[in-house]
Structures are given as structure tokens and as C-alpha cells.
Amino acid sequence: AVFAETQAVQASFAKDFSAPIQIAPSPSTALQTVTPRRRGAAGPPVFSAFGHIRPGKGFELLPGAIAAAAAKRPDIAFRIHATPNAPDHPAWLAAIEEAADNVEVIGHELDGPAYEALLGGADVAILPYDPEIYRERGSGIFNECEQLGTPVIAPSGCSFATNAIADGRAVAM
């Protein structure tokens, strides 16, 4: 069998494969060890973003989004994991950190246990990906959040979130 993460990828694969193509999330070893945080947990609600800074991931949008959210809900904590890989990225990280009082920026690679702790500690995942780039792409982080039951905020044009937004498991931004 052939597997694809999204319906858009399934349609693309169908052009090249005669075998049935099933939609399934990418496998993740993190799901075996992560205990997700649940409503009512001690402390403020935690909104997290994850990953390497690269085109299409939307990290440049986070300072404005965090500032707007914090102005309405100052009790929200933001934990942003963003691994820089270009000379201008440290300035992005500084702008994210300065967007509100309750922001923690993790600006380096995470090992497995640290990533799993961040993933499990999120009440909501923020995935501000560019819909043009992610129109036919999946997202491993989105799949992990879905399987953990962590709500996600993502653009409606990203194929990885289309069904979850339609079903109410994710919120469109």
C-alpha cells in the first residue's frame, strides 16, 4: 500500500501510482512517550510553536500574533521552539521574545526528551504555515498534535489542516 498524509498529497500520488493510496499520519516515536497536558492543569494555558525556521513556517508572523493574543489574554504563556539557520533569524527570535511578557523562546535544537516535553506541555499548537507552500504538504508536528488531542491553530489553506478545521478539531487563522 502507498500512504499519504493529506488528500492533496493523495491526489498527487494518484498520478504516479496504480496501487491504492491510503491517508495516514506519519509515524512518530514521540507519541509513545508523551503525556499531553490537559485542561485544568496548573498554571496558565500554554500556546506553543515548534520547528526549524525556514520559508513557509510563518515564524515572522509570531511577534504580531503573540502581542495581539497577549493583549486580550495576558494569562496565556507562549513557548516557542525555533531553531535558527540564517543570519537574520536571531533577530526574529528576539522579536518573538519581546512580543509579550509571558514568552519563552527556545532557540536551539532539542533532543528527543526535550521535544517531547515541549509537545506534551502545549495546550494549543500554533502552526502559522504559508498556505501556498503547504497546499500539498503534510506536517509531522500537526500529525503529532492531532494524535495527542492537542488543538491546533493553522491557516485554512494548508492541506494538512483542512479536514481538522472542517471537523472542528483545529481553528483556522
Side-chain angles (χ1 to χ4, degrees):
V2 177
F3 294 94
E5 282 188 42
T6 70
Q7 289 176 330
V9 173
Q10 181 186 42
S12 179
F13 282 1
K15 299 173 192 169
D16 298 319
F17 296 100
S18 59
I21 302 166
Q22 299 175 13
I23 296 177
S26 298
S28 170
T29 57
L31 299 176
Q32 299 168 10
T33 57
V34 173
T35 301
R37 184 177 147 102
R38 292 293 175 226
R39 281 189 186 184
V46 177
F47 284 50
S48 295
F50 315 82
H52 292 87
I53 299 174
R54 64 176 183 250
K57 287 286 203 135
F59 282 97
E60 70 278 9
L61 303 174
L62 289 176
I66 289 170
K72 291 183 181 190
R73 289 283 310 269
D75 61 319
I76 294 174
F78 297 92
R79 290 199 185 110
I80 310 299
H81 168 242
T83 304
N85 57 15
D88 61 342
H89 292 170
W92 286 9
L93 296 179
I96 291 168
E97 198 160 34
E98 294 166 5
D101 291 335
N102 208 3
V103 178
E104 175 188 1
V105 173
I106 304 157
H108 56 81
E109 288 281 342
L110 296 176
D111 62 15
Y115 171 73
E116 293 162 7
L118 182 67
L119 183 64
D123 290 304
V124 176
I126 309 166
L127 304 179
Y129 297 1
D130 183 336
E132 288 301 315
I133 294 174
Y134 281 84
R135 190 157 314 283
E136 291 189 6
R137 292 177 65 178
S139 166
I141 294 169
F142 175 82
N143 287 330
E144 290 172 337
C145 289
E146 273 274 279
Q147 293 174 62
L148 290 170
T150 303
V152 173
I153 300 171
S156 59
C158 294
S159 66
F160 63 80
T162 302
N163 290 340
I165 291 169
D167 296 343
R169 297 185 322 274
V171 175
M173 57 186 310

